Amino acid sequence: MTTAPLSPSAPLYAQLTSPDAASDVLVAALAECWTEVSDAGGAAGFPFPPVDPAEVAAEVDRLVTGLAPATSRLVVATLDGALAGWLNLRRDPDPLVAHWGTLHHVQTRLGVRGRGIGAGLVRQSRVIARDEMALEQLRLAARGGVGLEEFYGRLGWREAGRWPGALRLAPGDDRDEVLMVLSPL
């Protein structure tokens, strides 16, 4: 799903639903973005910078290999033809929980922050989850203390709970893990 830009510098959003949809150039850009965000201290899955680019590349390969329309999609944003951000939208196929999905690794390149790309990715995911995957709600876990609760709150998400001190970034630097939900979609 791609939306038309409003101007030459407006982001384009697309989703990838199978491994063959990801070009080698895109896979490399995903790993580069993830490394950049993680090394800057971003809460995107690699909490201890600097990260090993080979480990990041292996994780990107694992995500891409696991793409499937019913259970795992990548939502990407491009700006002027370059990757600006991405996230992973997943669903567990177990019938007990198949009605909800989760967002993972929501991230944008540092140089394009403040332009609404992250919010656009989250909004696109909501539409995909509801209209294409027939999901009823979305969930995510966010690192507390970095403003993510407010970011997602502005997009209609609400805090469903938190695990106090669940994340230890360094001795004396424990953070809450904030559980958030978006429902209805």
Side-chain angles (χ1 to χ4, degrees), residues 9 36 41 68 71 75 77 107 124 163-164 176 180:
S9 63
E36 176 184 308
T71 57
V75 181
Q107 54 193 285
Q124 288 292 325
W163 290 326
D176 292 354
M180 301 197 76

Side-chain angles (χ1 to χ4, degrees), residues 82-155:
L83 182 73
W86 64 278
L87 61 77
N88 182 221
L89 170 59
R90 292 188 219 160
R91 145 196 275 146
D92 186 322
D94 185 306
L96 187 63
V97 294
H99 62 288
W100 58 266
T102 56
L103 295 189
H104 299 270
H105 313 302
V106 180
Q107 54 193 285
T108 58
R109 300 295 301 252
L110 302 181
V112 299
R113 295 218 169 142
R115 297 182 65 179
I117 293 167
L121 284 166
V122 173
R123 286 186 188 105
Q124 288 292 325
S125 296
R126 180 182 197 166
V127 172
I128 292 165
R130 181 189 64 224
D131 296 350
E132 297 180 30
M133 297 176 80
L135 295 173
E136 297 172 22
Q137 65 177 263
L138 289 173
R139 299 177 183 187
L140 63 82
R143 182 186 302 168
V146 293
L148 295 173
E149 302 99 308
E150 294 81 15
F151 169 77
Y152 290 110
R154 289 190 302 271
L155 297 171

Side-chain angles (χ1 to χ4, degrees), residues 152-171:
Y152 290 110
R154 289 190 302 271
L155 297 171
W157 292 71
R158 64 178 169 77
E159 185 174 323
R162 73 177 47 225
W163 290 326
L167 308 172
R168 177 158 294 156
L169 302 180

